[in-house]
Amino acid sequence: MKLTSILFRKTARQPQNEKKVPFKEILPLQLRNFVSGKNQRTAEKGCLLEMSLLLTCLEQNEFEDKRCIPQFKALNQCYQVYTSNMERIRSSKEQIVPVPNSKNLTHKQVTYLLRRYPTV
């Protein structure tokens, strides 16, 4: 191991000297006054687990509804929670002015802040 490191020491590439490589500024080094909203997608898939549990229960019990009542209740409860969460998320996405001390901002809220406090 030590012998190979000694042999290949001369063939390894040395780091470049920073003074020999000049920096060429192609675009100005400042932030734009807006943010695109391309990559803001929700990753939540709804009640997929509850739906799969209900379908397996129905399949095992030859599609009799009476034997799978707890799974139906769990699916309905999950769906109610999911719809309330989605309504809350939609209402927060519609707000342009951000809430103070909020950690998750939409692209519209970030654009609002960048236009209000531009970089010079």
Side-chain angles (χ1 to χ4, degrees):
M1 182 76 178
K2 192 172 185 181
L3 182 63
T4 57
S5 64
I6 293 172
L7 290 176
F8 292 114
R9 184 179 299 162
K10 294 181 181 179
T11 60
R13 185 173 174 169
Q14 296 293 323
Q16 283 185 326
N17 188 358
E18 295 176 2
K19 296 177 182 175
K20 289 184 179 180
V21 181
F23 176 72
K24 297 177 184 176
E25 183 178 338
I26 298 172
L27 295 173
L29 297 176
Q30 65 184 26
L31 294 175
R32 290 182 280 165
N33 289 336
F34 63 92
V35 176
S36 68
K38 281 193 242 179
N39 296 330
Q40 285 195 350
R41 296 183 183 140
T42 57
E44 191 174 344
K45 299 295 182 193
C47 302
L48 191 62
L49 176 66
E50 287 80 3
M51 180 66 80
S52 63
L53 290 175
L54 175 65
L55 291 175
T56 56
C57 177
L58 286 172
E59 187 177 346
Q60 289 172 356
N61 295 319
E62 297 172 356
F63 296 98
E64 289 187 30
D65 296 344
K66 296 175 185 174
R67 295 184 180 176
C68 299
I69 291 175
Q71 285 82 5
F72 276 114
K73 287 182 181 178
L75 179 64
N76 286 334
Q77 182 182 8
C78 176
Y79 182 69
Q80 289 173 356
V81 170
Y82 175 74
T83 54
S84 65
N85 285 343
M86 291 308 290
E87 287 176 8
R88 183 177 47 83
I89 289 172
R90 275 192 215 110
S91 66
S92 68
K93 282 185 179 181
E94 291 174 0
Q95 292 178 350
I96 296 176
V97 179
V99 179
N101 297 329
S102 62
K103 294 182 180 178
N104 297 328
L105 300 175
T106 63
H107 70 279
K108 291 180 183 178
Q109 293 172 342
V110 174
T111 301
Y112 172 80
L113 289 174
L114 284 173
R115 289 190 176 155
R116 185 154 181 198
Y117 306 107
T119 57
V120 180

